[in-house]
């Protein structure tokens, strides 16, 4: 059901039946390593290119979710996935492997919640019994496409963020939720916001206005107060972007408890890991939500959370044509039964 101008309410409460998370060696040394289902000890993952390794991450996360739910891929009606690489090639190759009817989507680092929102919408209206959705990124593959190959040894500024090598996938089900199960209750679809920033090494600053815009729209559409949620978590604004978003929200009159406003890019790595402003990438919010946050919800740490994944919709083409960076954010609310 449409509520307000840009939000959906999922009256039938689609269930996140299971989730899977895979990661790389840097994530294995990170703050949330225990919440990953699969961790690799090298970036190649047995493949001869980083892009092929990227595909492996998403395949593993999706298969893990299916295994946990004891559901066969033949019983899944749709697969919704995306990543950051040219023409979302790793996601399409993973769809070639699982042979599930496929929607390929691109929302940059907002892809995780774009996929979860669409999966929930389809399931809510009985368009499917099961929808598998996921998002992924690979540090070495993404860095060489959007910035410089790591072998180049370029010095990064403090505003830069570290692309997560990871994937998160969830199986969204139309079956009635049992006790202590996560369900999606609503989604707010963001607008493209472009404040004229052009620095590809300051994604957090570029995305912060889009995050604030979607959060404000969510509470306006849903007629809720921020205290409704135990946690409001952004995707990958990093240190600079999160502070900027919080200031924008405060200036707009939205009072959010600072301790309940967190960022996946600041949660995934340890303080002594050299990630500058924090983590980023389409796999950042996907792996943190489908691993750490859902685990925390099942343990009773949170009852209701709002996940706001943010994306910078730049590309090599936009940079070559001297365009500024358009950004977007999508929000999904998740509750425990």
């Amino acid at each position: 059901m449409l509520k307000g101008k840009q939000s959906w309410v999922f009256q039938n409460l689609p269930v996140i039946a299971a989730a899977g998370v895979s990661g790389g060696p840097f994530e294995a040394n990170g703050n949330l390593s225990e919440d990953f289902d699969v961790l690799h000890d090298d970036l190649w993952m047995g493949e001869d290119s980083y892009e092929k390794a990227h595909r492996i991450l998403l395949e593993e996360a999706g298969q893990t979710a299916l295994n946990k739910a004891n559901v066969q891929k033949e019983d899944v009606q749709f697969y919704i996935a995306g990543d950051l690489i040219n023409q979302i090639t790793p996601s399409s190759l993973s769809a070639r492997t699982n042979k599930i009817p496929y929607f390929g989507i691109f929302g940059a680092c907002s892809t995780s919640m774009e996929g979860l929102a669409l999966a929930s919408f389809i399931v809510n209206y009985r368009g499917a019994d099961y929808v598998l959705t996921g998002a992924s990124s690979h540090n070495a593959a993404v860095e060489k496409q959007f910035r410089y190959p790591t072998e180049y040894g370029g010095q990064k500024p403090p505003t830069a963020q570290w692309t997560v090598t990871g994937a998160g996938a969830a199986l969204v089900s139309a079956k009635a939720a049992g006790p202590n199960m996560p369900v999606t209750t609503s989604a707010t679809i963001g607008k493209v916001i472009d404040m004229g920033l052009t620095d590809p090494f300051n994604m957090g600053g570029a995305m912060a206005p889009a995050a604030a815009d979607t959060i404000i729209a969510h509470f306006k559409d849903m007629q809720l107060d921020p205290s409704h949620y135990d946690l409001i978590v952004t995707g990958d604004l990093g240190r600079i972007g999160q502070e900027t978003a919080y200031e924008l929200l405060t200036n707009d009159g939205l009072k959010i408890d600072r301790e309940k406003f967190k960022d996946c890019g600041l949660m995934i790595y340890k303080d002594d890991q050299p990630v500058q402003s924090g983590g980023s990438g389409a796999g950042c919010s996907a792996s943190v939500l489908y691993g750490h946050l859902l685990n925390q919800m099942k343990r009773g740490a949170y009852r209701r959370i709002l996940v706001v994944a943010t994306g910078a919709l730049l590309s090599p083409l936009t940079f070559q044509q001297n365009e500024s960076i358009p950004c977007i954010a999508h929000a999904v609310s998740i509750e425990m039964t």
Side-chain angles (χ1 to χ4, degrees), residues 90-102:
S91 296
S92 297
L93 292 179
S94 72
R96 181 181 67 183
T97 299
N98 65 37
K99 294 180 169 47
I100 301 170
Y102 168 59

Side-chain angles (χ1 to χ4, degrees), residues 129-157:
D129 295 320
Y130 293 107
V131 178
L132 182 66
T133 183
S136 62
S137 53
H138 188 294
N139 181 277
V142 171
E143 288 295 314
K144 74 177 184 178
Q145 178 171 309
F146 286 94
R147 298 174 187 95
Y148 298 110
T150 52
E151 295 85 352
Y152 185 81
Q155 184 68 39
K156 293 183 178 181

Side-chain angles (χ1 to χ4, degrees), residues 49-285:
S49 76
Y50 292 133
E51 290 77 12
K52 291 179 182 178
H54 190 169
R55 180 203 80 225
I56 294 294
L57 287 167
L58 190 54
E59 289 178 353
E60 289 174 337
Q63 189 59 53
T64 298
L66 292 175
N67 291 345
K68 285 182 181 180
N70 196 27
V71 171
Q72 300 300 311
K73 62 184 179 181
E74 290 79 12
D75 296 322
V76 179
Q77 280 74 41
F78 302 111
Y79 175 47
I80 303 174
D83 57 76
L84 298 171
I85 302 304
N86 287 338
Q87 290 78 49
I88 57 171
T89 299
S91 296
S92 297
L93 292 179
S94 72
R96 181 181 67 183
T97 299
N98 65 37
K99 294 180 169 47
I100 301 170
Y102 168 59
F103 291 105
I105 61 173
F106 179 79
C109 302
S110 72
T111 298
S112 63
M113 291 306 98
E114 181 180 356
L116 184 57
L118 292 171
S120 299
F121 187 90
I122 292 170
V123 166
N124 185 71
Y125 287 100
R126 297 298 187 258
D129 295 320
Y130 293 107
V131 178
L132 182 66
T133 183
S136 62
S137 53
H138 188 294
N139 181 277
V142 171
E143 288 295 314
K144 74 177 184 178
Q145 178 171 309
F146 286 94
R147 298 174 187 95
Y148 298 110
T150 52
E151 295 85 352
Y152 185 81
Q155 184 68 39
K156 293 183 178 181
T159 57
Q161 293 170 249
W162 181 278
T163 303
V164 169
T165 299
L171 183 67
V172 182
S173 170
K175 293 187 176 181
N180 202 39
M181 289 289 290
V183 298
T184 56
T185 55
S186 68
T188 299
I189 309 304
K191 304 189 298 286
V192 171
I193 305 293
D194 188 340
M195 302 301 291
L197 277 73
T198 59
D199 183 3
F201 289 102
N202 187 11
M203 293 292 93
M207 295 186 294
D213 187 81
T214 298
I215 292 170
I216 291 167
H218 176 79
F219 287 111
K220 183 177 180 180
D221 284 354
M222 299 302 296
Q223 299 178 331
L224 291 173
D225 184 87
S227 62
H228 178 77
Y229 294 106
D230 302 314
L231 178 71
I232 298 171
V233 58
T234 50
D236 53 349
L237 293 180
R239 192 164 291 106
I240 293 172
Q242 194 207 29
E243 290 296 334
T244 302
Y246 188 76
E247 183 177 346
L248 290 170
L249 293 168
T250 301
N251 291 343
D252 195 77
L254 202 62
K255 296 181 180 180
I256 299 175
D257 185 338
R258 189 65 183 85
E259 294 301 312
K260 295 182 178 180
F261 187 63
K262 298 187 181 296
D263 184 76
C264 294
L266 295 177
M267 299 168 68
I268 192 168
Y269 296 122
K270 294 178 180 177
D271 291 340
D272 60 356
Q273 288 181 287
V275 297
Q276 285 90 7
S277 187
S280 68
C284 182
S285 58

